[in-house]
PDB file of all heavy atoms in Angstrom:
ATOM      1  N   LEU A  44      63.277 116.093 212.916  1.00 97.00           N
ATOM      2  CA  LEU A  44      63.613 116.217 211.494  1.00 97.00           C
ATOM      3  C   LEU A  44      62.340 116.152 210.650  1.00 97.00           C
ATOM      4  O   LEU A  44      61.344 115.571 211.077  1.00 97.00           O
ATOM      5  CB  LEU A  44      64.557 115.093 211.055  1.00 97.00           C
ATOM      6  CG  LEU A  44      66.010 115.178 211.528  1.00 97.00           C
ATOM      7  CD1 LEU A  44      66.773 113.923 211.123  1.00 97.00           C
ATOM      8  CD2 LEU A  44      66.697 116.418 210.961  1.00 97.00           C
ATOM      9  N   ILE A  75      66.782 118.653 204.372  1.00 98.00           N
ATOM     10  CA  ILE A  75      66.926 119.143 205.749  1.00 98.00           C
ATOM     11  C   ILE A  75      67.253 120.637 205.657  1.00 98.00           C
ATOM     12  O   ILE A  75      68.312 121.012 205.151  1.00 98.00           O
ATOM     13  CB  ILE A  75      68.058 118.423 206.507  1.00 98.00           C
ATOM     14  CG1 ILE A  75      67.878 116.906 206.442  1.00 98.00           C
ATOM     15  CG2 ILE A  75      68.101 118.885 207.963  1.00 98.00           C
ATOM     16  CD1 ILE A  75      69.030 116.127 207.055  1.00 98.00           C
ATOM     17  N   PRO A  76      66.342 121.485 206.149  1.00 98.00           N
ATOM     18  CA  PRO A  76      66.590 122.937 206.081  1.00 98.00           C
ATOM     19  C   PRO A  76      67.796 123.352 206.934  1.00 98.00           C
ATOM     20  O   PRO A  76      68.276 122.573 207.756  1.00 98.00           O
ATOM     21  CB  PRO A  76      65.295 123.542 206.637  1.00 98.00           C
ATOM     22  CG  PRO A  76      64.288 122.441 206.645  1.00 98.00           C
ATOM     23  CD  PRO A  76      65.054 121.167 206.767  1.00 98.00           C
ATOM     24  N   HIS A  78      70.252 124.520 209.661  1.00 98.00           N
ATOM     25  CA  HIS A  78      70.180 124.322 211.109  1.00 98.00           C
ATOM     26  C   HIS A  78      71.595 124.220 211.676  1.00 98.00           C
ATOM     27  O   HIS A  78      72.566 124.138 210.923  1.00 98.00           O
ATOM     28  CB  HIS A  78      69.417 123.021 211.417  1.00 98.00           C
ATOM     29  CG  HIS A  78      70.152 121.804 210.929  1.00 98.00           C
ATOM     30  ND1 HIS A  78      70.054 121.354 209.635  1.00 98.00           N
ATOM     31  CD2 HIS A  78      71.023 120.966 211.543  1.00 98.00           C
ATOM     32  CE1 HIS A  78      70.835 120.276 209.478  1.00 98.00           C
ATOM     33  NE2 HIS A  78      71.443 120.032 210.629  1.00 98.00           N
ATOM     34  N   SER A  79      71.681 124.212 213.003  1.00 97.00           N
ATOM     35  CA  SER A  79      72.984 124.002 213.649  1.00 97.00           C
ATOM     36  C   SER A  79      72.793 123.109 214.873  1.00 97.00           C
ATOM     37  O   SER A  79      71.665 122.815 215.277  1.00 97.00           O
ATOM     38  CB  SER A  79      73.602 125.340 214.075  1.00 97.00           C
ATOM     39  OG  SER A  79      72.825 125.917 215.112  1.00 97.00           O
ATOM     40  N   HIS A  80      73.930 122.683 215.436  1.00 96.00           N
ATOM     41  CA  HIS A  80      73.914 121.823 216.622  1.00 96.00           C
ATOM     42  C   HIS A  80      74.811 122.440 217.699  1.00 96.00           C
ATOM     43  O   HIS A  80      75.766 123.144 217.372  1.00 96.00           O
ATOM     44  CB  HIS A  80      74.423 120.424 216.288  1.00 96.00           C
ATOM     45  CG  HIS A  80      73.739 119.807 215.107  1.00 96.00           C
ATOM     46  ND1 HIS A  80      72.472 119.285 215.172  1.00 96.00           N
ATOM     47  CD2 HIS A  80      74.141 119.670 213.817  1.00 96.00           C
ATOM     48  CE1 HIS A  80      72.127 118.831 213.979  1.00 96.00           C
ATOM     49  NE2 HIS A  80      73.113 119.048 213.132  1.00 96.00           N
ATOM     50  N   GLU A  84      79.504 117.766 214.966  1.00 95.00           N
ATOM     51  CA  GLU A  84      78.797 116.729 214.220  1.00 95.00           C
ATOM     52  C   GLU A  84      79.760 116.077 213.242  1.00 95.00           C
ATOM     53  O   GLU A  84      80.366 116.748 212.421  1.00 95.00           O
ATOM     54  CB  GLU A  84      77.619 117.338 213.444  1.00 95.00           C
ATOM     55  CG  GLU A  84      76.933 116.334 212.517  1.00 95.00           C
ATOM     56  CD  GLU A  84      75.709 116.912 211.793  1.00 95.00           C
ATOM     57  OE1 GLU A  84      75.634 118.139 211.615  1.00 95.00           O
ATOM     58  OE2 GLU A  84      74.846 116.117 211.405  1.00 95.00           O
ATOM     59  N   VAL A  86      79.594 113.322 210.416  1.00 98.00           N
ATOM     60  CA  VAL A  86      78.622 112.546 209.649  1.00 98.00           C
ATOM     61  C   VAL A  86      79.344 111.723 208.581  1.00 98.00           C
ATOM     62  O   VAL A  86      79.982 112.272 207.687  1.00 98.00           O
ATOM     63  CB  VAL A  86      77.502 113.456 209.073  1.00 98.00           C
ATOM     64  CG1 VAL A  86      78.064 114.627 208.308  1.00 98.00           C
ATOM     65  CG2 VAL A  86      76.537 112.675 208.206  1.00 98.00           C
ATOM     66  N   PHE A  93      74.893 111.915 200.311  1.00 98.00           N
ATOM     67  CA  PHE A  93      74.391 112.972 201.192  1.00 98.00           C
ATOM     68  C   PHE A  93      74.943 114.294 200.668  1.00 98.00           C
ATOM     69  O   PHE A  93      76.148 114.528 200.706  1.00 98.00           O
ATOM     70  CB  PHE A  93      74.872 112.686 202.616  1.00 98.00           C
ATOM     71  CG  PHE A  93      74.147 113.451 203.681  1.00 98.00           C
ATOM     72  CD1 PHE A  93      72.760 113.403 203.798  1.00 98.00           C
ATOM     73  CD2 PHE A  93      74.858 114.200 204.612  1.00 98.00           C
ATOM     74  CE1 PHE A  93      72.102 114.093 204.805  1.00 98.00           C
ATOM     75  CE2 PHE A  93      74.206 114.889 205.623  1.00 98.00           C
ATOM     76  CZ  PHE A  93      72.827 114.844 205.719  1.00 98.00           C
ATOM     77  N   MET A  95      75.557 118.020 201.110  1.00 98.00           N
ATOM     78  CA  MET A  95      75.607 118.855 202.308  1.00 98.00           C
ATOM     79  C   MET A  95      76.266 120.199 201.985  1.00 98.00           C
ATOM     80  O   MET A  95      77.276 120.247 201.268  1.00 98.00           O
ATOM     81  CB  MET A  95      76.432 118.100 203.348  1.00 98.00           C
ATOM     82  CG  MET A  95      76.218 118.520 204.764  1.00 98.00           C
ATOM     83  SD  MET A  95      77.189 117.363 205.801  1.00 98.00           S
ATOM     84  CE  MET A  95      76.716 117.943 207.397  1.00 98.00           C
ATOM     85  N   MET A 117      81.176 119.119 211.117  1.00 94.00           N
ATOM     86  CA  MET A 117      80.588 120.445 211.319  1.00 94.00           C
ATOM     87  C   MET A 117      80.877 120.914 212.738  1.00 94.00           C
ATOM     88  O   MET A 117      80.623 120.181 213.696  1.00 94.00           O
ATOM     89  CB  MET A 117      79.066 120.376 211.132  1.00 94.00           C
ATOM     90  CG  MET A 117      78.634 120.109 209.706  1.00 94.00           C
ATOM     91  SD  MET A 117      78.817 121.574 208.677  1.00 94.00           S
ATOM     92  CE  MET A 117      78.923 120.780 207.071  1.00 94.00           C
ATOM     93  N   THR A 121      77.601 125.968 213.569  1.00 97.00           N
ATOM     94  CA  THR A 121      77.732 126.228 212.132  1.00 97.00           C
ATOM     95  C   THR A 121      76.441 125.824 211.417  1.00 97.00           C
ATOM     96  O   THR A 121      76.022 124.664 211.490  1.00 97.00           O
ATOM     97  CB  THR A 121      78.905 125.403 211.532  1.00 97.00           C
ATOM     98  OG1 THR A 121      80.093 125.720 212.243  1.00 97.00           O
ATOM     99  CG2 THR A 121      79.081 125.693 210.054  1.00 97.00           C
ATOM    100  N   HIS A 123      74.101 124.601 208.570  1.00 97.00           N
ATOM    101  CA  HIS A 123      74.281 123.723 207.416  1.00 97.00           C
ATOM    102  C   HIS A 123      72.948 123.111 207.016  1.00 97.00           C
ATOM    103  O   HIS A 123      71.961 123.215 207.759  1.00 97.00           O
ATOM    104  CB  HIS A 123      75.335 122.654 207.710  1.00 97.00           C
ATOM    105  CG  HIS A 123      75.037 121.801 208.896  1.00 97.00           C
ATOM    106  ND1 HIS A 123      75.222 122.229 210.192  1.00 97.00           N
ATOM    107  CD2 HIS A 123      74.535 120.546 208.993  1.00 97.00           C
ATOM    108  CE1 HIS A 123      74.865 121.267 211.029  1.00 97.00           C
ATOM    109  NE2 HIS A 123      74.438 120.229 210.323  1.00 97.00           N
ATOM    110  N   TYR A 124      72.922 122.476 205.841  1.00 98.00           N
ATOM    111  CA  TYR A 124      71.690 121.893 205.316  1.00 98.00           C
ATOM    112  C   TYR A 124      72.063 120.738 204.406  1.00 98.00           C
ATOM    113  O   TYR A 124      73.250 120.547 204.095  1.00 98.00           O
ATOM    114  CB  TYR A 124      70.884 122.961 204.552  1.00 98.00           C
ATOM    115  CG  TYR A 124      71.722 123.766 203.590  1.00 98.00           C
ATOM    116  CD1 TYR A 124      72.008 123.286 202.301  1.00 98.00           C
ATOM    117  CD2 TYR A 124      72.253 125.003 203.970  1.00 98.00           C
ATOM    118  CE1 TYR A 124      72.788 124.019 201.429  1.00 98.00           C
ATOM    119  CE2 TYR A 124      73.048 125.734 203.099  1.00 98.00           C
ATOM    120  CZ  TYR A 124      73.310 125.243 201.828  1.00 98.00           C
ATOM    121  OH  TYR A 124      74.099 125.954 200.972  1.00 98.00           O
ATOM    122  N   LEU A 135      76.126 109.300 212.567  1.00 98.00           N
ATOM    123  CA  LEU A 135      76.557 110.500 213.285  1.00 98.00           C
ATOM    124  C   LEU A 135      77.304 110.088 214.542  1.00 98.00           C
ATOM    125  O   LEU A 135      76.804 109.258 215.310  1.00 98.00           O
ATOM    126  CB  LEU A 135      75.339 111.328 213.708  1.00 98.00           C
ATOM    127  CG  LEU A 135      75.018 112.590 212.905  1.00 98.00           C
ATOM    128  CD1 LEU A 135      74.664 112.210 211.482  1.00 98.00           C
ATOM    129  CD2 LEU A 135      73.875 113.338 213.548  1.00 98.00           C
ATOM    130  N   TRP A 141      73.004 116.591 222.728  1.00 96.00           N
ATOM    131  CA  TRP A 141      72.757 116.950 221.335  1.00 96.00           C
ATOM    132  C   TRP A 141      71.512 117.812 221.235  1.00 96.00           C
ATOM    133  O   TRP A 141      70.675 117.823 222.142  1.00 96.00           O
ATOM    134  CB  TRP A 141      72.570 115.664 220.527  1.00 96.00           C
ATOM    135  CG  TRP A 141      72.498 115.855 219.049  1.00 96.00           C
ATOM    136  CD1 TRP A 141      71.401 115.659 218.257  1.00 96.00           C
ATOM    137  CD2 TRP A 141      73.561 116.242 218.180  1.00 96.00           C
ATOM    138  NE1 TRP A 141      71.738 115.905 216.949  1.00 96.00           N
ATOM    139  CE2 TRP A 141      73.031 116.265 216.875  1.00 96.00           C
ATOM    140  CE3 TRP A 141      74.899 116.588 218.380  1.00 96.00           C
ATOM    141  CZ2 TRP A 141      73.808 116.621 215.765  1.00 96.00           C
ATOM    142  CZ3 TRP A 141      75.669 116.935 217.283  1.00 96.00           C
ATOM    143  CH2 TRP A 141      75.134 116.947 215.995  1.00 96.00           C
ATOM    144  N   GLY A 142      71.390 118.515 220.134  1.00 95.00           N
ATOM    145  CA  GLY A 142      70.196 119.294 219.861  1.00 95.00           C
ATOM    146  C   GLY A 142      70.233 119.768 218.430  1.00 95.00           C
ATOM    147  O   GLY A 142      71.249 119.612 217.744  1.00 95.00           O
ATOM    148  N   ILE A 143      69.128 120.310 217.970  1.00 96.00           N
ATOM    149  CA  ILE A 143      69.096 120.884 216.621  1.00 96.00           C
ATOM    150  C   ILE A 143      68.286 122.174 216.657  1.00 96.00           C
ATOM    151  O   ILE A 143      67.196 122.211 217.228  1.00 96.00           O
ATOM    152  CB  ILE A 143      68.532 119.870 215.587  1.00 96.00           C
ATOM    153  CG1 ILE A 143      68.437 120.496 214.190  1.00 96.00           C
ATOM    154  CG2 ILE A 143      67.187 119.295 216.019  1.00 96.00           C
ATOM    155  CD1 ILE A 143      68.213 119.483 213.071  1.00 96.00           C
TER     156      ILE A 143
HETATM  157 CU1   CU B   1      73.166 118.767 211.081  1.00 61.23          CU
END
Side-chain angles (χ1 to χ4, degrees):
L44 287 174
I75 307 174
H78 65 276
S79 67
H80 308 284
E84 173 177 25
V86 52
F93 196 55
M95 201 175 184
M117 291 285 157
T121 303
H123 58 283
Y124 47 83
L135 256 64
W141 188 248
I143 177 166

